[in-house]
């Protein structure tokens, strides 16, 4: 029986801490940390994420703005909005919800966000800072995984850590953070040979590939810690992760559920980054 790593509980604890810190920040500075979220078009999943981000801001007492732009928005219009948010003293964090409609250039927008307000940590300046281990912001999902490990007293130091997935948003920064925490890190991807054997070496296995129930019992060592970053919808409409929870849970020493594992941590880390940005 694995210990369940309860992301909902840990997330609630951290949000309560942020709420307290926000109250003392207001007392000290006379203003609130402010987050601007920009959404272009009507992607239903993005709309849910943005709503949750706004609600989370309200919960901890931040100032927040949501800018909902039509799908027909031009690059110039979006750039102009980012410029005005960069110059807005009430706004300390800017998040442009991805994906953007196809006619818009994501890279151009991400480069335009002031790195000091880049609470997603997607700007190449902040990506570079993460690489050298001198960072103000961490991308929210990998930061959430690290916070889950830390608050579960799981120390990556000296351990074999395997990350499945090499995206810029999760896999690559995840590997860097585990490395900074003195883990011995392997990054696997679609071209990895004998993936199951590599994964079976892992003391800590982080899975971020976006394929429902991909990791089965044959890929997990007895006693491993298994972190599931996946969020997939099954044919029956149910949410499921990248890990076959029922098969892996009896083998692992600790495991995150989906939902209620990494998911709730992501927005919590966004709040944390916004507070950091406001302090700077
Ligand atoms: N779309 C899905 N996840 C994210 C995220 O973490 N940040 C942004 N900006 N867009 C996303």
């Amino acid at each position: 029986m694995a210990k369940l790593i309860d992301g909902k509980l840990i997330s609630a604890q951290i949000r309560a801490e942020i709420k307290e810190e926000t109250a003392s920040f207001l007392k000290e500075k006379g203003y609130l940390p402010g987050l601007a979220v920009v959404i272009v078009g009507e992607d239903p999943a993005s709309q849910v994420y943005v709503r949750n981000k706004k609600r989370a801001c309200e919960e901890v007492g931040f100032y927040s703005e949501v800018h909902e732009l039509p799908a027909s928005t031009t690059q110039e219009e979006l750039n102009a909005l980012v410029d005005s948010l960069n110059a807005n003293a009430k706004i300390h964090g800017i998040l442009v919800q991805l994906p953007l409609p196809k006619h818009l250039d994501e890279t151009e927008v991400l480069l335009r966000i002031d790195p000091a307000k880049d609470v997603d940590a997607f700007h190449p300046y902040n990506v570079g800072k993460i690489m050298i281990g001198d960072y103000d912001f961490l991308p929210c999902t990998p930061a959430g995984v690290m916070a889950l490990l830390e608050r579960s007293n799981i120390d990556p130091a000296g351990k074999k850590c395997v990350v499945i997935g090499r995206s810029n948003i999760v896999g690559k920064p995840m590997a860097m953070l585990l490395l900074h925490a003195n883990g011995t890190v392997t990054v696997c991807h679609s071209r990895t040979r004998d993936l199951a054997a590599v994964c079976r070496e892992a003391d800590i296995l982080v899975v971020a590939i976006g394929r429902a129930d991909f990791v089965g019992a044959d890929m997990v060592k007895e006693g491993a810690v298994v972190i599931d970053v996946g969020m997939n919808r099954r044919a029956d409409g149910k949410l499921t992760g990248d890990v076959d929870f029922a098969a892996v849970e009896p083998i692992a020493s600790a495991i995150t559920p989906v939902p209620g594992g990494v998911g709730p941590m992501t927005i919590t880390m966004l709040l944390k980054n916004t507070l950091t940005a406001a302090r700077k």
Side-chain angles (χ1 to χ4, degrees):
M1 273 282 284
K3 173 180 140 53
L4 205 66
I5 300 176
D6 187 343
K8 251 165 111 173
L9 181 74
I10 295 173
S11 177
Q13 287 166 350
I14 299 175
R15 286 192 200 189
E17 292 163 15
I18 294 172
K19 188 173 177 175
E20 258 178 46
E21 288 171 46
T22 303
S24 37
F25 179 91
L26 175 63
K27 240 185 234 161
E28 188 188 325
K29 305 267 190 183
Y31 57 88
L32 290 170
L35 176 69
V37 180
V38 179
I39 176 169
V40 186
E42 271 143 38
D43 177 64
S46 290
Q47 286 174 325
V48 173
Y49 289 136
V50 168
R51 214 177 306 136
N52 290 341
K53 284 166 186 170
K54 178 158 177 57
R55 198 176 308 140
C57 283
E58 286 162 2
E59 192 189 314
V60 297
F62 284 6
Y63 171 72
S64 68
E65 290 178 2
V66 176
H67 296 262
E68 293 177 277
L69 306 182
S72 59
T73 301
T74 65
Q75 187 80 43
E76 290 67 33
E77 287 166 336
L78 183 55
N79 288 349
L81 174 59
V82 169
D83 290 347
S84 77
L85 294 171
N86 281 339
N88 185 340
K90 270 161 71 177
I91 297 299
H92 309 99
I94 302 169
L95 181 145
V96 176
Q97 187 67 30
L98 304 178
L100 290 171
K102 287 211 166 33
H103 67 281
L104 296 171
D105 184 339
E106 264 175 27
T107 308
E108 184 176 333
V109 177
L110 296 181
L111 272 170
R112 205 161 183 110
I113 295 172
D114 179 346
K117 296 190 177 188
D118 171 35
V119 285
D120 259 328
F122 290 170
H123 191 291
Y125 175 82
N126 287 318
V127 175
K129 298 262 282 181
I130 291 160
M131 192 77 182
I132 58 176
D134 163 32
Y135 37 75
D136 302 316
F137 307 126
L138 293 176
C140 300
T141 302
V145 172
M146 295 308 287
L148 285 179
L149 292 175
E150 202 175 299
R151 299 217 175 202
S152 308
N153 296 312
I154 298 163
D155 183 359
K159 302 216 171 79
K160 284 190 182 163
C161 305
V162 173
V163 178
I164 318 182
R166 56 174 158 178
S167 71
N168 289 331
I169 295 180
V170 184
K172 285 186 210 168
M174 187 74 250
M176 289 314 302
L177 299 193
L178 289 165
L179 184 60
H180 293 323
N182 300 310
T184 301
V185 185
T186 303
V187 182
C188 298
H189 45 80
S190 55
R191 303 282 288 273
T192 298
R193 244 185 271 157
D194 205 354
L195 178 66
V198 179
C199 293
R200 274 197 306 271
E201 293 268 302
D203 301 310
I204 298 175
L205 180 64
V206 181
V207 193
I209 42 166
R211 288 175 63 179
D213 303 325
F214 180 81
V215 170
D218 62 316
M219 296 173 75
V220 178
K221 180 170 79 176
E222 184 84 38
V225 172
V226 180
I227 307 289
D228 188 350
V229 181
M231 179 71 84
N232 313 289
R233 208 168 277 282
R234 281 205 201 107
D236 64 4
K238 273 203 178 145
L239 280 179
T240 185
D242 293 348
V243 176
D244 182 346
F245 186 89
V248 170
E249 189 272 340
I251 303 168
S253 64
I255 188 167
T256 58
V258 176
V262 176
M265 295 297 289
T266 304
I267 294 181
T268 302
M269 293 299 113
L270 172 68
L271 298 172
K272 207 167 169 186
N273 281 345
T274 305
L275 186 56
T276 303
R279 282 210 179 103
K280 287 256 154 189

PDB file of all heavy atoms in Angstrom, residues 46 49 53 95-99 120 122 140-141 169 266, ligand 1:
ATOM      1  N   SER A  46      -9.083  25.984 -21.484  1.00  0.00           N
ATOM      2  CA  SER A  46      -8.406  27.214 -21.059  1.00  0.00           C
ATOM      3  C   SER A  46      -9.337  28.083 -20.226  1.00  0.00           C
ATOM      4  O   SER A  46      -8.914  28.700 -19.242  1.00  0.00           O
ATOM      5  CB  SER A  46      -7.930  28.010 -22.272  1.00  0.00           C
ATOM      6  OG  SER A  46      -6.866  27.336 -22.917  1.00  0.00           O
ATOM      7  N   TYR A  49      -9.342  26.725 -16.734  1.00  0.00           N
ATOM      8  CA  TYR A  49      -8.084  27.051 -16.041  1.00  0.00           C
ATOM      9  C   TYR A  49      -8.077  28.502 -15.588  1.00  0.00           C
ATOM     10  O   TYR A  49      -7.693  28.820 -14.465  1.00  0.00           O
ATOM     11  CB  TYR A  49      -6.874  26.816 -16.959  1.00  0.00           C
ATOM     12  CG  TYR A  49      -6.560  25.369 -17.259  1.00  0.00           C
ATOM     13  CD1 TYR A  49      -6.243  24.959 -18.552  1.00  0.00           C
ATOM     14  CD2 TYR A  49      -6.549  24.404 -16.248  1.00  0.00           C
ATOM     15  CE1 TYR A  49      -5.944  23.637 -18.843  1.00  0.00           C
ATOM     16  CE2 TYR A  49      -6.253  23.085 -16.531  1.00  0.00           C
ATOM     17  CZ  TYR A  49      -5.954  22.702 -17.830  1.00  0.00           C
ATOM     18  OH  TYR A  49      -5.657  21.408 -18.113  1.00  0.00           O
ATOM     19  N   LYS A  53      -7.850  30.137 -11.879  1.00  0.00           N
ATOM     20  CA  LYS A  53      -6.761  31.035 -11.479  1.00  0.00           C
ATOM     21  C   LYS A  53      -7.331  32.296 -10.828  1.00  0.00           C
ATOM     22  O   LYS A  53      -6.817  32.758  -9.813  1.00  0.00           O
ATOM     23  CB  LYS A  53      -5.900  31.397 -12.709  1.00  0.00           C
ATOM     24  CG  LYS A  53      -4.970  30.252 -13.113  1.00  0.00           C
ATOM     25  CD  LYS A  53      -4.357  30.404 -14.488  1.00  0.00           C
ATOM     26  CE  LYS A  53      -3.573  29.130 -14.834  1.00  0.00           C
ATOM     27  NZ  LYS A  53      -3.121  29.065 -16.227  1.00  0.00           N
ATOM     28  N   LEU A  95       0.194  36.401 -17.034  1.00  0.00           N
ATOM     29  CA  LEU A  95       0.122  35.044 -17.583  1.00  0.00           C
ATOM     30  C   LEU A  95      -0.755  35.065 -18.828  1.00  0.00           C
ATOM     31  O   LEU A  95      -1.904  35.494 -18.766  1.00  0.00           O
ATOM     32  CB  LEU A  95      -0.481  34.097 -16.535  1.00  0.00           C
ATOM     33  CG  LEU A  95      -0.613  32.630 -16.926  1.00  0.00           C
ATOM     34  CD1 LEU A  95      -0.386  31.744 -15.718  1.00  0.00           C
ATOM     35  CD2 LEU A  95      -1.961  32.321 -17.540  1.00  0.00           C
ATOM     36  N   VAL A  96      -0.165  34.697 -19.947  1.00  0.00           N
ATOM     37  CA  VAL A  96      -0.949  34.558 -21.180  1.00  0.00           C
ATOM     38  C   VAL A  96      -1.262  33.075 -21.336  1.00  0.00           C
ATOM     39  O   VAL A  96      -0.359  32.248 -21.492  1.00  0.00           O
ATOM     40  CB  VAL A  96      -0.162  35.097 -22.403  1.00  0.00           C
ATOM     41  CG1 VAL A  96      -0.958  34.851 -23.682  1.00  0.00           C
ATOM     42  CG2 VAL A  96       0.138  36.579 -22.236  1.00  0.00           C
ATOM     43  N   GLN A  97      -2.535  32.753 -21.234  1.00  0.00           N
ATOM     44  CA  GLN A  97      -2.942  31.347 -21.256  1.00  0.00           C
ATOM     45  C   GLN A  97      -2.647  30.735 -22.629  1.00  0.00           C
ATOM     46  O   GLN A  97      -2.991  31.305 -23.666  1.00  0.00           O
ATOM     47  CB  GLN A  97      -4.448  31.258 -20.937  1.00  0.00           C
ATOM     48  CG  GLN A  97      -4.981  29.847 -20.766  1.00  0.00           C
ATOM     49  CD  GLN A  97      -4.426  29.128 -19.538  1.00  0.00           C
ATOM     50  OE1 GLN A  97      -4.098  29.736 -18.530  1.00  0.00           O
ATOM     51  NE2 GLN A  97      -4.305  27.823 -19.636  1.00  0.00           N
ATOM     52  N   LEU A  98      -2.013  29.590 -22.618  1.00  0.00           N
ATOM     53  CA  LEU A  98      -1.697  28.858 -23.847  1.00  0.00           C
ATOM     54  C   LEU A  98      -2.640  27.655 -23.955  1.00  0.00           C
ATOM     55  O   LEU A  98      -3.110  27.171 -22.925  1.00  0.00           O
ATOM     56  CB  LEU A  98      -0.247  28.381 -23.820  1.00  0.00           C
ATOM     57  CG  LEU A  98       0.810  29.485 -23.603  1.00  0.00           C
ATOM     58  CD1 LEU A  98       2.199  28.870 -23.556  1.00  0.00           C
ATOM     59  CD2 LEU A  98       0.729  30.546 -24.682  1.00  0.00           C
ATOM     60  N   PRO A  99      -2.914  27.132 -25.116  1.00  0.00           N
ATOM     61  CA  PRO A  99      -2.432  27.600 -26.418  1.00  0.00           C
ATOM     62  C   PRO A  99      -3.182  28.840 -26.897  1.00  0.00           C
ATOM     63  O   PRO A  99      -4.319  29.063 -26.529  1.00  0.00           O
ATOM     64  CB  PRO A  99      -2.752  26.398 -27.327  1.00  0.00           C
ATOM     65  CG  PRO A  99      -3.943  25.739 -26.702  1.00  0.00           C
ATOM     66  CD  PRO A  99      -3.797  25.953 -25.226  1.00  0.00           C
ATOM     67  N   ASP A 120       4.864  32.568 -15.152  1.00  0.00           N
ATOM     68  CA  ASP A 120       4.885  31.218 -15.735  1.00  0.00           C
ATOM     69  C   ASP A 120       6.320  30.681 -15.850  1.00  0.00           C
ATOM     70  O   ASP A 120       6.526  29.491 -16.024  1.00  0.00           O
ATOM     71  CB  ASP A 120       4.315  31.258 -17.164  1.00  0.00           C
ATOM     72  CG  ASP A 120       2.878  30.788 -17.255  1.00  0.00           C
ATOM     73  OD1 ASP A 120       2.486  29.906 -16.471  1.00  0.00           O
ATOM     74  OD2 ASP A 120       2.151  31.293 -18.126  1.00  0.00           O
ATOM     75  N   PHE A 122       8.225  31.175 -18.443  1.00  0.00           N
ATOM     76  CA  PHE A 122       8.357  30.680 -19.825  1.00  0.00           C
ATOM     77  C   PHE A 122       9.318  31.537 -20.653  1.00  0.00           C
ATOM     78  O   PHE A 122       9.724  31.148 -21.736  1.00  0.00           O
ATOM     79  CB  PHE A 122       7.001  30.667 -20.538  1.00  0.00           C
ATOM     80  CG  PHE A 122       6.031  29.620 -20.037  1.00  0.00           C
ATOM     81  CD1 PHE A 122       4.698  29.640 -20.457  1.00  0.00           C
ATOM     82  CD2 PHE A 122       6.433  28.611 -19.171  1.00  0.00           C
ATOM     83  CE1 PHE A 122       3.797  28.679 -20.017  1.00  0.00           C
ATOM     84  CE2 PHE A 122       5.529  27.654 -18.720  1.00  0.00           C
ATOM     85  CZ  PHE A 122       4.206  27.687 -19.149  1.00  0.00           C
ATOM     86  N   CYS A 140       5.281  26.485 -12.984  1.00  0.00           N
ATOM     87  CA  CYS A 140       4.362  26.100 -11.910  1.00  0.00           C
ATOM     88  C   CYS A 140       4.243  24.588 -11.699  1.00  0.00           C
ATOM     89  O   CYS A 140       4.194  24.128 -10.556  1.00  0.00           O
ATOM     90  CB  CYS A 140       2.997  26.719 -12.186  1.00  0.00           C
ATOM     91  SG  CYS A 140       3.093  28.516 -12.249  1.00  0.00           S
ATOM     92  N   THR A 141       4.203  23.823 -12.769  1.00  0.00           N
ATOM     93  CA  THR A 141       3.990  22.383 -12.581  1.00  0.00           C
ATOM     94  C   THR A 141       5.212  21.696 -11.948  1.00  0.00           C
ATOM     95  O   THR A 141       5.064  21.021 -10.920  1.00  0.00           O
ATOM     96  CB  THR A 141       3.573  21.718 -13.906  1.00  0.00           C
ATOM     97  OG1 THR A 141       2.372  22.369 -14.357  1.00  0.00           O
ATOM     98  CG2 THR A 141       3.306  20.239 -13.731  1.00  0.00           C
ATOM     99  N   ILE A 169       7.697  22.949 -20.820  1.00  0.00           N
ATOM    100  CA  ILE A 169       6.912  23.407 -19.673  1.00  0.00           C
ATOM    101  C   ILE A 169       7.074  22.483 -18.470  1.00  0.00           C
ATOM    102  O   ILE A 169       7.090  22.927 -17.336  1.00  0.00           O
ATOM    103  CB  ILE A 169       5.419  23.537 -20.069  1.00  0.00           C
ATOM    104  CG1 ILE A 169       5.239  24.623 -21.131  1.00  0.00           C
ATOM    105  CG2 ILE A 169       4.546  23.815 -18.862  1.00  0.00           C
ATOM    106  CD1 ILE A 169       3.804  24.824 -21.582  1.00  0.00           C
ATOM    107  N   THR A 266      -0.407  23.333  -9.143  1.00  0.00           N
ATOM    108  CA  THR A 266       0.059  24.196 -10.222  1.00  0.00           C
ATOM    109  C   THR A 266      -0.367  25.651  -9.989  1.00  0.00           C
ATOM    110  O   THR A 266       0.457  26.573 -10.047  1.00  0.00           O
ATOM    111  CB  THR A 266      -0.477  23.650 -11.563  1.00  0.00           C
ATOM    112  OG1 THR A 266      -0.037  22.300 -11.670  1.00  0.00           O
ATOM    113  CG2 THR A 266       0.040  24.420 -12.729  1.00  0.00           C
TER     114      THR A 266
HETATM  115  N1  LIG B   1      -1.867  26.189 -20.592  1.00  0.00           N
HETATM  116  C1  LIG B   1      -1.812  25.006 -19.922  1.00  0.00           C
HETATM  117  N2  LIG B   1      -1.011  25.109 -18.844  1.00  0.00           N
HETATM  118  C2  LIG B   1      -0.550  26.378 -18.825  1.00  0.00           C
HETATM  119  C3  LIG B   1       0.320  27.095 -17.962  1.00  0.00           C
HETATM  120  O1  LIG B   1       0.854  26.581 -16.974  1.00  0.00           O
HETATM  121  N3  LIG B   1       0.543  28.404 -18.288  1.00  0.00           N
HETATM  122  C4  LIG B   1      -0.016  28.986 -19.376  1.00  0.00           C
HETATM  123  N4  LIG B   1       0.277  30.257 -19.614  1.00  0.00           N
HETATM  124  N5  LIG B   1      -0.815  28.350 -20.207  1.00  0.00           N
HETATM  125  C5  LIG B   1      -1.081  27.057 -19.926  1.00  0.00           C
END
